Amino acid sequence: MMNFEYVRASTAAGAVSMLAKQSDAVFIAGGTNLVDLMKRGVVSPMRLIDINTLPLKEITLSGNKVTIGALALNSAVSEHPLVIKHFPLLSYALKAGASQQLRNMATVGGNMMQRTRCSYFYDTVMPCNKREPGTGCGAMQGINRMHAIFGSSENCIAVHPSDMCVALAALDASVIIRGAKGDRKILFTDFHRLPGNTPEKDNNLQPGELITHVEIPVNAFQQHAYYLKIRDRASYAFALVSVAAALEMQGNKISKARLAMGGVAHKPWRLTEAEAFLKGKEATETNFKAAAALAMQGAKAYEHNSFKLQMAPNAIAEALKKATSKA
């Protein structure tokens, strides 16, 4: 690792000010992804700004929304009574991610900011437009078993690794961001980016901004929610395909549906057309398969990940079936 400067921020405003003063500075909280990237030479920030002392760990209910601080630990969020009561889908997704030790260190904001686990991104000898724009995408003609089937470009086919973010995308969450000019709010589905011509940009944070909170509107999906994660082994593995499914039901009829996928795109992939199709439909296997087929429109596989074209719709139908049976 290269030498770097370490400083500690005591306020959110101070953290933003510190970041603005040095272009190659980054925030650090749990560091579960950042430290790995620094060790491998993928990133080499000259200054680390420790934000762990900022008062951004609380989880509160106000009116019709739950607010989660960006420094709340993944393990704490997954076990919090408000989350379990109102958003079991988020709890399921968090518990499906990483190991207990990592969940005890990882924060909500850090989870949102984590980088792809594409092996070409991590290998500094290989070409990677995300790591070094203009060098090419090694995965395109390489080993691309874990890679995207939606939303990719000729510049990048990497996928976003988070389980938590898939659930937050399905739950209509919003992100509160602080910058030098004050706070702003964006929809969670607009936070992460598709690669396009700028695959080095993972999200829509502007320079000098800090994630402070995530807000989730209270909903009626508590009784019928399920997170399905298909992976190579039962623990500590990233998703080949994952599905967050949440349903509001009246009898056997679906009045509202929320669906998002992980392991298939550069960002959590929301299935809005499938959601619209399911609204007002009976909760039947036929309708689940039809929704899954609709969700797969536009999917494109590469040499080693064509199995996802079958795995993904099967996972959608299975997640919907499991969500329906939850009560």
Side-chain angles (χ1 to χ4, degrees):
M1 292 172 65
M2 294 179 61
N3 290 334
F4 58 88
E5 181 186 9
Y6 170 87
V7 294
R8 179 174 291 171
S10 58
T11 66
V16 168
S17 178
M18 288 179 185
L19 190 67
K21 291 177 181 178
Q22 190 165 339
S23 60
D24 54 1
V26 298
F27 294 130
I28 184 168
T32 56
N33 185 209
L34 176 60
V35 173
D36 282 345
L37 293 170
M38 292 174 66
K39 286 180 177 179
R40 292 172 179 247
V42 178
V43 298
S44 299
M46 298 304 295
R47 171 185 277 195
L48 297 186
I49 303 169
D50 188 336
I51 57 174
N52 280 295
T53 59
L54 304 187
L56 300 175
K57 296 182 174 70
E58 290 192 359
I59 302 172
T60 59
L61 172 65
S62 177
N64 67 341
K65 65 185 177 184
V66 171
T67 300
I68 302 173
L71 292 177
L73 298 179
N74 285 185
S75 55
V77 177
S78 70
E79 298 289 352
H80 197 279
L82 284 175
V83 173
I84 292 173
K85 177 181 178 180
H86 294 287
F87 315 114
L89 178 63
L90 178 57
S91 180
Y92 300 153
L94 282 165
K95 291 178 180 179
S99 65
Q100 183 64 44
Q101 293 91 336
L102 286 173
R103 293 197 296 271
N104 283 338
M105 288 294 295
T107 62
V108 168
N111 192 313
M112 292 168 58
M113 293 294 291
Q114 66 179 301
R115 310 298 302 276
T116 182
R117 282 352 188 250
C118 174
S119 58
Y120 296 92
F121 174 70
Y122 270 79
D123 188 344
T124 56
V125 176
M126 300 300 293
C128 173
N129 288 320
K130 177 176 284 297
R131 188 186 66 249
E132 190 175 350
T135 58
C137 176
M140 192 74 70
Q141 301 299 324
I143 305 300
N144 43 44
R145 178 172 176 269
M146 298 291 292
H147 290 71
I149 57 174
F150 293 111
S152 59
S153 74
E154 62 182 8
N155 297 300
C156 182
I157 59 173
V159 299
H160 194 268
S162 172
D163 293 294
M164 179 197 78
C165 290
V166 180
L168 289 174
L171 290 170
D172 298 317
S174 296
V175 186
I176 310 302
I177 298 166
R178 177 162 300 178
K181 297 181 180 180
D183 292 352
R184 68 185 180 102
K185 179 192 290 190
I186 62 173
L187 293 175
F188 197 89
T189 48
D190 293 333
F191 180 80
H192 296 99
R193 297 169 57 105
L194 293 177
N197 294 321
T198 54
E200 70 277 11
K201 296 181 179 180
D202 291 334
N203 56 65
N204 286 310
L205 273 183
Q206 299 300 312
E209 289 189 322
L210 168 70
I211 302 166
T212 60
H213 299 88
V214 171
E215 291 182 352
I216 315 175
V218 173
N219 55 54
F221 299 130
Q222 298 89 343
Q223 292 186 338
H224 300 286
Y226 193 79
Y227 187 75
L228 176 65
K229 182 176 182 179
I230 302 175
R231 45 190 161 175
D232 287 323
R233 57 185 185 275
S235 65
Y236 198 43
F238 296 99
L240 291 166
V241 170
S242 66
V243 181
L247 303 173
E248 182 180 328
M249 300 187 65
Q250 296 178 348
N252 196 46
K253 183 173 287 188
I254 300 168
S255 52
K256 289 183 182 178
R258 294 292 183 268
L259 290 166
M261 298 187 74
V264 296
H266 199 256
K267 61 182 289 185
W269 193 252
R270 183 74 178 262
L271 308 180
T272 53
E273 291 187 3
E275 292 173 359
F277 171 83
L278 287 168
K279 186 176 181 179
K281 298 287 197 308
E282 294 289 324
T284 65
E285 185 173 356
T286 298
N287 284 331
F288 294 161
K289 288 183 177 179
L294 190 62
M296 293 302 294
Q297 291 183 358
K300 176 186 176 182
Y302 296 88
E303 182 178 0
H304 301 104
N305 71 347
S306 58
F307 67 91
K308 289 191 179 186
L309 297 180
Q310 181 175 357
M311 178 180 285
N314 288 345
I316 294 169
E318 181 66 14
L320 287 166
K321 180 180 177 181
K322 295 285 190 181
T324 304
S325 63
K326 297 284 283 188

